[in-house]
Amino acid sequence: MPPSSTKQRIEGLQKEIEEHDYRYYVLDKPIISDEKYDKLFKELQQLEESNPQWASPHSPTQKVGGKPLDKFKKVKHSRPMLSLQNVYTSEEFTQVFSRWRDTLGASFAVVGEPKFDGLAVELVYENGFLAVASTRGDGETGEDVTENVKTIKSVPLRLRENFPKLLEVRGEIILMKEDFEALNKQRAKSGEPLFANPRNAAAGSIRQLDPKIAAQRKLDLFCHGIGSMTGVTATSHWELLKLFNVWGLRTHTLYQSLTSLSAIESFYKKVESQRDSLPYEIDGIVLKINSFKDQEELGFVARSPRWAIAYKFKAQEGITELHDVVFQVGRTGVITPVAVLKPVWVGGVEVKRAGLHNEDQVRELGLKIGDTVVVKRAGDVIPDVVSVIEDKRTGKEKKIVFPKHCPACHSHIVRNEGEAAHRCTNMACPARLAEGLKHFCSKRAMNIEGLGDKWIDLLQENKLITHFSSLYDLDKETVMTLERQGDKSAQKLIDAIARSKETTLDRFLFALGIPLVGERTAELLATHFGSLSAFMKASDEELTHVEEVGPTVSLRIRQFLSEPKNRDEIDRLIKKGVQPHWESHNQTGLGLLAGKTFVITGTLPSLSRDEAALLIRQNGGKVTNSVSKQTDFLVVGDDAGSKLQKAQALGVAQLDEAGLKKLISG
Ligand code: IVH
């Protein structure tokens, strides 16, 4: 491309991507797929990289986060960022409304909008370009968080059209509930402390010195007001919100123009009823007098405007006592501390229990039994204990003792590196049994036809099953005693259970539900070990030699195998007739390699040894470890050692990878 057209292409792409960002974030109406967008973005990134003279600090590619800072600079707001006064009841709000009417007369409009539970910021756009972004701070002076704000996808680095020469736009930085949960999940996994709520997570993210971290946090900005503005005039708040969109700034969509007290009360109720289903947290509505002239007339009191008010929803927090902490074993063996509380009403719901997530969180809260605690409800999920009121301590509070063994089955508990959770290692732990059994019976595991979730629940409810192996003790008569089970369907089930005894090693290993062992790993383990007994005897070292089995997976397998309850259960399954086989797997006599024995040595050009072995077995051949007179073929790769010599001495035929493939393709 000639230089001038490269420059044009870069500018064209910048504009095009900005347009798509606008359509996606502001209008909520994207017109291209994510793939197409990513392609444009990559092209721009590449062009800018190879032509740095045309890369602009305002390009949409600059949203990935720049260099880390040492500390934040201070920024003085040109006009103070005020706060809102709150009302909590209809009576209180009616008084505010009457005052408005007293000053403004009967006809005035109010804009109702959600009150976001986020972090207030101010963005300064000079000649349409984002110059500075700062936190509210004490209202007069905040911190310069420009680099982090630039990474927010919905924040344009330059405004679109007809924008003011100077614009100080104010809004709320938030983290969507879904992204908050994903972030905490990921932090729990890597053992980092959890954020108590989306607000704290948003605040923590925007105050990151490393903009690359902020860039990963999926923050959002909703604009809801201004500081100074020059070059454009607006006469009302409503008009301003519309102009924000024209300039490319995102606003919420829930706002409404309201002209009577009853309309405001209905708006309050409507938004409150939507609260739990909104993708972000709100804690009330904000009501603002629409006309700027009217706003001026009402003026300010202390640090708050008289023309706006926050009408908050009923408290979702309550104060109560912590009676006890119990430990629950979840479906996957994760052991979670749960707070048992003196019952308290929070936002119209009686709360008796609250989640404590994990040991780290309990320590971080500094929680003790007998403490007075603050509990918080958000949506329909189990409430959280958010803080301890230390002033209420009497000295009689007791330490919380974490169990050393699984509370359900007394097996060992492990806490793996990088994980905040403690887990029970017993696959047949009663607390995990139903879930484990569903997996054990499933199509891709033991494939017990007809034994679905309903049956498993029924069998467990009737205490007919205590282990996976109990399945093989069931008889038709016992099954028939269960609700509405006829002779025929009972027999069918018993037959299916019996059929499952003949299975393959990979299915069996997958069925056991060993943590991190999915279908593919199970197959690689089966291929590598060839038999259940060899797998059971596997040393640490040998496990790490299995393809794709890294230290984490091998650790989980070892933990699994070192739990005596798991070994006993495997023994029981075998005693009851379960026969996982592998060597004979696929030896239908029909494969092209049927009856042939192979040994593989050295490094093959494209297949790993395990893959080559799988290929041979899939075609009916047998793979062994050492060369003997029974060996039909030695598959040889680079750096072959003693096996090659032995094969040569015994006159065993040799193949390279291409030869093997040719043999298979017939
Ligand atoms: S307007 C002077 N609108 O609430 C009025 N604020 O206590 C300035 N907030 O610091 C604020 N949602 O962070 C306004 N729709 C909304 C809001 C909102 C949340 C926050 C804002 C402000 C605090 C005021």
Side-chain angles (χ1 to χ4, degrees), residues 631-648:
T631 310
D632 294 293
F633 294 102
L634 180 72
V635 182
V636 191
D638 286 345
D639 302 322
S642 61
K643 284 181 188 166
L644 178 59
Q645 284 166 12
K646 196 164 174 197
Q648 279 165 346

Side-chain angles (χ1 to χ4, degrees), residues 96-247:
V96 173
F97 191 82
S98 307
R99 277 205 307 270
W100 285 345
R101 209 174 28 206
D102 290 348
T103 312
L104 304 172
S107 106
F108 59 90
V110 171
V111 179
E113 33 185 76
K115 181 162 195 317
F116 298 100
D117 200 6
L119 188 80
V121 287
E122 178 173 79
L123 275 55
V124 181
Y125 284 91
E126 289 170 359
N127 298 314
F129 290 110
L130 176 61
V132 182
S134 55
T135 59
R136 176 170 182 267
D138 61 6
E140 300 286 338
T141 311
E143 283 176 325
D144 184 337
V145 288
T146 315
E147 291 310 309
N148 289 342
V149 168
K150 272 186 176 173
T151 68
I152 301 175
K153 292 272 193 279
S154 49
V155 169
L157 299 180
R158 59 176 169 187
L159 299 177
R160 288 169 59 80
E161 55 195 47
N162 302 330
F163 46 77
K165 207 168 154 12
L166 170 74
L167 173 69
E168 293 172 0
V169 63
R170 292 170 179 184
E172 208 74 5
I173 294 202
I174 57 143
L175 188 65
M176 295 288 175
K177 289 176 191 167
E178 192 188 4
D179 296 322
F180 162 72
E181 265 149 36
L183 174 63
N184 258 358
K185 226 180 226 168
Q186 179 207 326
R187 288 172 75 87
K189 229 176 169 182
S190 55
E192 289 170 274
L194 304 185
F195 287 116
N197 52 48
R199 204 197 104 78
N200 288 6
S205 306
I206 214 65
R207 297 198 67 259
Q208 271 290 337
L209 287 165
D210 184 354
K212 290 221 164 43
I213 297 180
Q216 290 160 10
R217 295 278 171 88
K218 295 204 181 156
L219 297 166
D220 257 298
L221 173 76
F222 288 109
C223 299
H224 55 52
I226 50 168
S228 310
M229 177 163 86
T230 56
V232 173
T233 38
T235 58
S236 70
H237 185 62
W238 186 266
E239 209 182 312
L240 192 67
L241 292 176
K242 298 280 177 215
L243 281 169
F244 282 169
N245 291 165
V246 173
W247 301 332

Side-chain angles (χ1 to χ4, degrees), residues 80-86 112-121 136 170-173 199 222-226 237 252 282-288 300 303-305 307-310 312:
M81 289 179 78
L82 304 178
S83 61
L84 292 167
Q85 288 202 316
N86 297 321
E113 33 185 76
K115 181 162 195 317
F116 298 100
D117 200 6
L119 188 80
V121 287
R136 176 170 182 267
R170 292 170 179 184
E172 208 74 5
I173 294 202
R199 204 197 104 78
F222 288 109
C223 299
H224 55 52
I226 50 168
H237 185 62
H252 43 81
I282 59 171
D283 58 359
I285 58 170
V286 180
L287 298 154
K288 298 174 184 170
F300 298 85
R303 316 254 348 120
S304 308
W307 47 264
I309 192 95
K312 303 263 271 209

